[in-house]
């Protein structure tokens, strides 16, 4: 895993927001003011609203998006890959 995650370029914010919008379970939410996301974090990644968005599904779709984009794959490597369970 990376020690420090690279900042997400602004050009990917709209794609992240659209993935979140596609996975909303409620149309009205007071927590996120009906946007589906709370804001962005220090790494410029969109923070989905856990009250009205299926966050697990968003992460699955985002991982797929990162894998299919060469620039993001180079930027993040395996950061967004699911951790495999290791037998003890």
């Amino acid at each position: 895993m990376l020690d420090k995650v690279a900042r997400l370029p602004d050009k990917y914010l709209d794609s992240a927001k659209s993935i979140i919008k596609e996975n909303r379970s409620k149309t009205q939410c007071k927590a996120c003011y009906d946007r589906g996301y709370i804001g962005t974090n220090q790494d410029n990644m969109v923070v989905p609203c856990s009250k009205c968005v299926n966050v697990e599904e968003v992460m699955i779709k985002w991982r797929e998006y990162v894998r299919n984009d060469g620039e993001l794959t180079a930027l993040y490597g395996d950061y967004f890959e699911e951790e495999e369970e290791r037998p003890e």
Side-chain angles (χ1 to χ4, degrees):
M1 184 173 274
L2 300 172
D3 293 329
K4 184 175 179 179
V5 178
R7 185 169 169 80
L8 181 68
D10 288 338
K11 66 183 181 180
Y12 294 107
L13 289 176
D14 288 336
S15 298
K17 290 175 185 177
S18 69
I19 290 171
I20 289 170
K21 185 177 180 181
E22 292 168 4
N23 290 284
R24 289 193 65 203
S25 57
K26 297 186 331 185
T27 56
Q28 295 183 337
C29 180
K30 292 181 181 180
C32 67
Y33 304 104
D34 305 330
R35 295 179 300 182
Y37 61 95
I38 305 298
T40 56
N41 65 13
Q42 67 273 13
D43 297 322
N44 203 35
M45 294 184 191
V46 181
V47 179
C49 176
S50 61
K51 295 206 180 269
C52 69
V53 174
N54 182 345
V55 178
E56 290 177 14
E57 188 65 28
V58 167
M59 288 307 297
I60 290 168
K61 301 275 185 181
W62 183 248
R63 285 183 192 113
E64 183 180 318
Y65 184 82
V66 169
R67 276 193 299 267
N68 293 330
D69 186 282
E71 183 181 355
L72 288 177
T73 302
L75 189 62
Y76 292 110
D78 62 352
Y79 180 78
F80 282 108
E81 292 298 320
E82 294 185 53
E83 292 183 17
E84 296 179 13
E85 293 183 25
R86 295 183 182 111
E88 293 183 32

